[in-house]
């Protein structure tokens, strides 16, 4: 089973894939996500017309010959999604874990900005101290100008670095996590009731690598 990352959860919240062309029919939400258990190639899908009905299949090429009824393949996948739904205690624990991860995510940039600011303050104090010594004729012009040049050059570089560094912002993290975890609590229902775009987003977010269906079970490369 794949591990849900913060990136995957954020994708589920957005429920959109701007770089994905929605060309998959409703009967084939898993098209492009499945590999053939016989030869490893990506399965395609198509419909065949019977005497009274149309029948839908995921299948490999004619040389390989592997194929499975789309109805079965889709049903087993939906049943598997139901097992990913979590109860309230798991949701509470996962929210706590993700909140801590987010806090760690923003702590390093904050520490780095403080370190740069502290060094700038130290250099300004050094420059002010040298100016006082110069005015008191403790040091001469050349010595003061050398200290001033070194401090100014270093301060200029640090200020540029400070302006380049940015602290990641993800809006109201508590609200976003609550939305994401509510979705995950009912991931199977969201999938079953969702349009094809939502189905594709959920599949791609939880299973970034292709899936293999052997006729009864799914498995991932890992």
């Amino acid at each position: 089973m794949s591990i849900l990352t913060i990136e995957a959860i954020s994708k589920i919240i957005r429920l959109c894939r701007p770089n994905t062309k929605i060309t998959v029919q409703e009967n084939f939400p898993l098209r492009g996500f499945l590999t053939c258990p016989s030869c490893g190639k990506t399965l395609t899908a198509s419909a065949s017309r019977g005497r009274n009905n149309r029948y839908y299949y995921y299948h490999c090429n004619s040389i390989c010959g592997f194929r499975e009824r789309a109805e079965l393949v889709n049903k087993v996948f939906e049943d598997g999604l139901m097992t990913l739904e979590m109860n309230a205690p798991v949701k509470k624990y996962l929210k706590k874990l993700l909140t801590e991860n987010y806090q760690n995510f923003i702590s390093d940039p904050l520490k780095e900005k403080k370190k740069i600011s502290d060094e700038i303050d130290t250099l300004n104090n050094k420059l002010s101290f040298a100016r006082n010594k110069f005015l008191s004729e403790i040091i001469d012009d050349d010595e003061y100008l050398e200290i001033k040049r070194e401090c100014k050059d270093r301060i200029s570089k640090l200020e540029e670095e400070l302006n380049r560094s940015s602290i990641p912002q993800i809006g109201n993290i508590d609200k976003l996590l609550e939305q994401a975890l509510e979705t995950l609590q009912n991931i199977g229902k969201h999938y079953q009731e969702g349009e094809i775009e939502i189905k594709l987003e959920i599949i791609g977010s939880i299973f970034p690598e292709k899936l293999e269906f052997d006729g009864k079970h799914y498995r991932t490369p890992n």
Side-chain angles (χ1 to χ4, degrees):
M1 181 180 294
S2 298
I3 298 175
L4 291 172
T5 64
I6 291 180
E7 181 182 2
I9 291 175
S10 68
K11 286 182 179 180
I12 293 174
I13 295 173
R14 293 196 302 272
L15 292 179
C16 65
R17 291 168 66 94
N19 295 323
T20 300
K21 294 182 179 179
I22 308 302
T23 58
V24 185
Q25 296 181 15
E26 289 288 342
N27 302 87
F28 305 126
L30 292 162
R31 184 176 184 178
F33 291 98
L34 299 175
T35 59
C36 177
S38 299
C39 68
K41 293 182 179 179
T42 300
L43 296 182
T44 186
S46 62
S48 62
R49 185 180 297 277
R51 178 170 298 180
N52 299 315
N53 295 302
R54 290 176 66 84
Y55 300 95
Y56 301 92
Y57 295 92
Y58 293 100
H59 58 85
C60 197
N61 57 44
S62 59
I63 297 176
C64 174
F66 175 85
R67 73 172 185 169
E68 282 288 351
R69 288 281 295 271
E71 182 180 5
L72 171 64
V73 178
N74 295 339
K75 179 64 167 57
V76 175
F77 182 81
E78 291 180 8
D79 291 344
L81 277 185
M82 293 297 184
T83 66
L84 298 181
E85 295 185 347
M86 57 188 172
N87 55 32
V90 173
K91 175 186 174 183
K92 182 178 180 181
Y93 173 76
L94 185 56
K95 183 175 181 180
K96 178 177 180 293
L97 182 65
L98 291 172
T99 300
E100 291 174 353
N101 286 342
Y102 174 75
Q103 291 171 345
N104 292 332
F105 174 63
I106 67 172
S107 66
D108 287 344
L110 284 172
K111 290 177 182 177
E112 184 63 24
K113 288 178 76 74
K114 186 178 185 306
K115 180 181 177 182
I116 294 172
S117 296
D118 289 345
E119 186 175 351
I120 290 175
D121 289 341
T122 299
L123 290 168
N124 280 323
N125 290 334
K126 180 180 179 181
L127 184 56
S128 178
F129 184 68
R131 186 182 300 110
N132 291 334
K133 291 177 69 174
F134 170 68
L135 293 175
S136 300
E137 298 183 350
I138 298 175
I139 59 176
D140 58 24
D141 291 3
D142 291 341
E143 190 173 358
Y144 169 68
L145 290 174
E146 179 63 21
I147 294 173
K148 180 180 179 180
R149 182 187 63 78
E150 291 178 355
C151 289
K152 287 290 187 180
D153 287 348
R154 180 58 181 162
I155 289 173
S156 178
K157 291 178 181 179
L158 288 171
E159 287 177 340
E160 289 180 4
E161 187 175 345
L162 192 62
N163 290 331
R164 285 197 304 269
S165 62
S166 60
I167 300 174
Q169 297 293 332
I170 314 183
N172 188 334
I173 186 64
D174 187 72
K175 181 179 179 180
L176 289 174
L177 283 178
E178 191 62 35
Q179 291 174 347
L181 294 174
E182 187 280 329
T183 299
L184 292 176
Q185 267 192 299
N186 302 283
I187 192 70
K189 180 181 178 181
H190 283 290
Y191 182 85
Q192 288 179 338
E193 298 178 354
E195 300 292 336
I196 187 62
E197 293 89 346
I198 293 178
K199 286 182 169 62
L200 291 175
E201 181 62 36
I202 291 175
I203 298 169
S205 297
I206 301 178
F207 304 101
E209 298 179 335
K210 293 184 185 296
L211 294 162
E212 180 183 294
F213 182 69
D214 63 6
K216 294 183 178 180
H217 307 288
Y218 279 97
R219 65 180 182 181
T220 65
N222 294 323

